[in-house]
Structures are given as structure tokens and as C-alpha cells.
């Protein structure tokens, strides 16, 4: 597999050996790409120029690796600690001169939900993304930057890069919701299936509710993140980019509403399953009771009169064996029939 243009060369500088994958770097000048794949140590050189915007991406860095970058960019130790710690909540923290962002990218594969944590340091002219693993596709982020019409890079600012990141994250959250919606349709088909596989319905519905709860925990805070960024008194988002961030905010509302709608749908499906299971049990009891009543009549009559007529093998050992075989075969046959019809 070939290297990406924005990947740094680990052999070029020891400082490039950070994390489980080569760091990605890029610099923009006047809205155009000026450099890619440059050493991490040159970040400060580009930032000394007031007309350059830089981006650095790190994958699973160690604590001491990130402290080196923190010293390079003047990051607060508390924010650095949050960036290397796993399972931080989705949030946006403001520090002097920059902000720290923590978000989650959900991926649904065969009904299983996986969360990929992504942190970011955002200053006026720099964006540093920190991934906890390789599950987040950085190339997709770069393509989004390259394909989005230039709305903020003509004037040096990292807000445009942040918009691309948030837009991609929220879109992936929406994709995960749609995948869970498809899973809910599958559960719905199972609930109304004539076979009615109870264990499969219980397993899938439990997994679906668990995934929806996990996705809701990381998707709902995105509204607060966007609200904070759009506050006019903070002046974090330039005026030309406000409609772009507002569009991302609208998508976060759509994600939250879809999740809540799916949670209600799953709850309704579970209630429907219980109602159908109860109705099915009533039907089974009606059939069993009817057959029991039919059999009870000859049993009561013959028992009342004590009928005991001679039969083949009467008063002989072979007759006892034959009757025992008949009882066992009939009992097993009824068991198999009831099991096939899911009455047992």
C-alpha cells in the first residue's frame, strides 16, 4: 500500500515517529495547498507566518509524544491529557487561544456498533486532530476539504477545517442511524413473521436498543458543541462560515430526532411482540384445551363403566410390552408435533 501525500516520512526526522501511523500534515496559503507531508517539527515555522493555515493528524499517540506537540503549539497539559485519554465524553472546551473538541464517529457493521474517538485542538490558524485508532478515515476528511467550495481559506483560519471535520462526523452519525433503522426494519419483519423466532427477536431488539443508547450518548452533545461555536460573542466562527455551521447544527437535530424516533419504534415493537406472543399463547391454549376436551369424553365414559375388554396380548407379557411401546410412541409424537408448532 502506497503512502498518502500528506503522510510524513518517519526516516526524515525522529520527531515524525509519533503514534501507530505516520502523522499527516498539510499547510494552506491563500486558500491553496502550499505543502504536505512536512516534518512535525516544522509546524511552528509555518505558524510564524500570519497567512498560513496548518493541519496535523496523529493516530494513537503516546502521552509523551503528544506533550512534544503540545510544547510546539503551546497546548494546556489538561487538554493534552484529555486528548490521550480514552472514553472522554463528547464536548467542546475553551482555553486561552484555542479550543479542545472531542467527538465520536460511529460505524455499524452487521448490526454491531463501534465507536471511534477523535479529538481536535483548534486555534485561529491550526487544527490538530488526534485519533485513538485507525477507524476514522482521514482520507475522507481530506476529500471533503478539497471538494467543499472555498468558504474560509481565502483568509487564514482553521474554522473551515473544523467545519469539514464536524460535517463529516455528523454525516457518519446520520449514516449509523440509517443503518440502525434498517436493523429495526429487520426486527419488525421478524416480529410479524409467521415463524416468530422469539430468541432471535429478543437478541436483535436488545442489541438495537443498546446501540441506540450508545449512539444517543455521543450524538446529543453535538448540539451543544455547535451551539457554543455559533455564539456570536465568542466570534469563533467567521461570518461567511456561519451558514455552513448552521447546516451542520440542523443535521445534529436530525440525528437526535431520528434516534429518539427509533427508540420509540423499538419500544413499540417490543410491546407488539409481547401482545403477539400473548395472543399466540391464547391460540395454543385454545387448541390444546379443545383436544383435551375431545379426549376427555371417551376417557370419562370408559373410566366410569370400568371397561376393560380383551385385546391382543391380554394378560400376557407381550401385551404389556405392546402397550408400553404405544404409550411412548404416542407421547413422543405429540412432543415432536408441539415442538414443531412452537407450543412447547
Amino acid at each position: 500500500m502506497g503512502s498518502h501525500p500528506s503522510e510524513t516520512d518517519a526516516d526524515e526526522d525522529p520527531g515524525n515517529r509519533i503514534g501507530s501511523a505516520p502523522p499527516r500534515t498539510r499547510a494552506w496559503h491563500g486558500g491553496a495547498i502550499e505543502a504536505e507531508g512536512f516534518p512535525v517539527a516544522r509546524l511552528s515555522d509555518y505558524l510564524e507566518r500570519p497567512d498560513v493555515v496548518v493541519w496535523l493528524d496523529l493516530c494513537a499517540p503516546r502521552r509523551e509524544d503528544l506533550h512534544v506537540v503540545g510544547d510546539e503549539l503551546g497546548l494546556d497539559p489538561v487538554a493534552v491529557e484529555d486528548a490521550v485519554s480514552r472514553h472522554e465524553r463528547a464536548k467542546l472546551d475553551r482555553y486561552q487561544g484555542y479550543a479542545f473538541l472531542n467527538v465520536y464517529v460511529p460505524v455499524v457493521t452487521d448490526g454491531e456498533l463501534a465507536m471511534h474517538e477523535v479529538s481536535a485542538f483548534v486555534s485561529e490558524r491550526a487544527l490538530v486532530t488526534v485519533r485513538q485508532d485507525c477507524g476514522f478515515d482521514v482520507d475522507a476528511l481530506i476529500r471533503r476539504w478539497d471538494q467543499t467550495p472555498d468558504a474560509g481559506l481565502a483568509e487564514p483560519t482553521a474554522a473551515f477545517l473544523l467545519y469539514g471535520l464536524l460535517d463529516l462526523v455528523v454525516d457518519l452519525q446520520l449514516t449509523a442511524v440509517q443503518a440502525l433503522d434498517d436493523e429495526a426494519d429487520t426486527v419488525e419483519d421478524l416480529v410479524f413473521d409467521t415463524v416468530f423466532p422469539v430468541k432471535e427477536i429478543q437478541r436483535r431488539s436488545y442489541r438495537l436498543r443498546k446501540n441506540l443508547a450508545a449512539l444517543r450518548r455521543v450524538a446529543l452533545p453535538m448540539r451543544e458543541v455547535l451551539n457554543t461555536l455559533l455564539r456570536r460573542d465568542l466570534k469563533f466562527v467567521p461570518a461567511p462560515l456561519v451558514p455552513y455551521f448552521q447546516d451542520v447544527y440542523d443535521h445534529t437535530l436530525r440525528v437526535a430526532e431520528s434516534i429518539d424516533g427509533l427508540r420509540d419504534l423499538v419500544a413499540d415493537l417490543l410491546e407488539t411482540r409481547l401482545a403477539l406472543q400473548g395472543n399466540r399463547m391464547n391460540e395454543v391454549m385454545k387448541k390444546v384445551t379443545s383436544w383435551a376436551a375431545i379426549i376427555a369424553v371417551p376417557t370419562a365414559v370408559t373410566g366410569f363403566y370400568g371397561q376393560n375388554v380383551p385385546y391382543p396380548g391380554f394378560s400376557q407379557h407381550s401385551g404389556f410390552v405392546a402397550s408400553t411401546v404405544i404409550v411412548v410412541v404416542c407421547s413422543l409424537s405429540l412432543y415432536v408435533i408441539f415442538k414443531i408448532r412452537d407450543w412447547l
Side-chain angles (χ1 to χ4, degrees):
M1 182 180 295
S3 62
H4 301 277
S6 57
E7 285 185 355
T8 61
D9 187 356
D11 297 328
E12 182 180 349
D13 190 293
N16 292 334
R17 296 187 177 91
I18 300 177
S20 60
R24 311 284 289 270
T25 56
R26 182 184 272 195
W28 289 265
H29 176 256
I33 301 173
E34 179 173 300
E36 286 186 285
F38 52 84
V40 177
R42 291 186 57 193
L43 277 176
S44 56
D45 296 337
Y46 283 102
L47 288 175
E48 288 176 357
R49 298 166 52 188
D51 55 351
V52 174
V53 176
V54 298
W55 166 64
L56 167 65
D57 175 74
L58 303 175
C59 182
R62 296 173 299 177
R63 183 174 281 101
E64 54 270 24
D65 293 335
L66 201 55
H67 277 297
V68 173
V69 179
D71 295 338
E72 189 80 10
L73 299 176
L75 303 178
D76 191 278
V78 176
V80 171
E81 184 70 23
D82 287 345
V84 297
S85 300
R86 290 182 177 269
H87 309 301
E88 291 287 329
R89 66 181 182 88
K91 61 179 180 177
L92 177 70
D93 293 334
R94 289 177 292 150
Y95 294 87
Q96 186 66 33
Y98 67 94
F100 172 75
L101 174 71
N102 198 74
V103 295
Y104 287 86
V105 178
V107 177
V108 179
T109 305
D110 296 331
E112 297 292 341
L113 177 67
M115 293 289 187
H116 303 289
E117 190 173 358
V118 181
S119 303
F121 298 96
V122 191
S123 66
E124 184 180 0
R125 293 186 295 107
L127 174 68
V128 179
T129 53
V130 181
R131 297 173 288 150
Q132 297 292 352
D133 52 52
C134 296
F136 177 63
D137 188 2
V138 179
D139 293 315
L141 176 61
I142 294 176
R143 287 193 298 269
R144 183 153 303 206
W145 286 336
D146 294 341
Q147 295 171 2
T148 303
D150 184 358
L153 286 178
E155 298 179 0
T157 174
F160 177 76
L161 304 181
L162 177 61
Y163 157 72
L165 173 63
L166 291 175
D167 189 43
L168 178 60
V169 169
V170 175
D171 282 353
L172 291 175
Q173 291 180 352
L174 186 58
T175 301
V177 172
Q178 292 171 345
L180 295 180
D181 191 6
D182 294 338
E183 179 69 11
D185 291 340
T186 302
V187 174
E188 183 178 2
D189 293 338
L190 291 175
V191 168
F192 292 101
D193 194 348
T194 54
V195 179
F196 200 72
V198 177
K199 292 184 178 179
E200 181 70 9
I201 294 174
Q202 290 176 338
R203 184 183 67 83
R204 288 201 172 206
S205 59
Y206 171 77
R207 184 180 64 183
L208 182 57
R209 296 187 70 178
K210 180 181 177 181
N211 290 341
L212 286 172
L215 185 56
R216 189 173 187 270
R217 282 196 300 270
V218 302
L220 286 186
M222 296 298 294
R223 293 185 296 183
E224 184 62 29
V225 169
L226 269 299
N227 270 329
T228 303
L229 291 173
L230 288 170
R231 284 177 53 182
R232 295 183 179 181
D233 57 324
L234 296 180
K235 298 180 180 179
F236 195 90
V237 178
L241 287 177
V242 170
Y244 290 79
F245 278 85
Q246 186 65 50
D247 181 66
V248 178
Y249 177 74
D250 293 340
H251 288 176
T252 63
L253 295 181
R254 181 182 172 187
V255 171
E257 291 170 356
S258 299
I259 292 175
D260 290 339
L262 277 178
R263 283 162 58 90
D264 294 339
L265 175 61
V266 173
D268 292 340
L269 283 176
L270 293 179
E271 293 179 1
T272 303
R273 180 185 69 83
L274 293 176
L276 290 175
Q277 193 170 3
N279 293 337
R280 186 179 178 84
M281 182 62 66
N282 291 336
E283 292 294 327
V284 171
M285 291 302 299
K286 285 167 55 178
K287 293 177 181 179
V288 173
T289 303
S290 298
W291 281 110
I294 294 173
I295 297 174
V297 174
T299 302
V301 172
T302 56
F304 178 78
Y305 287 100
Q307 289 178 310
N308 191 8
V309 298
Y311 53 85
F314 183 72
S315 299
Q316 297 179 13
H317 179 71
S318 60
F320 170 76
V321 173
S323 63
T324 303
V325 170
I326 292 174
V327 170
V328 172
V329 171
C330 291
S331 299
L332 288 176
S333 300
L334 288 175
Y335 174 81
V336 171
I337 292 174
F338 290 165
K339 196 68 175 178
I340 292 176
R341 296 188 178 186
D342 200 21
W343 291 3
L344 290 176

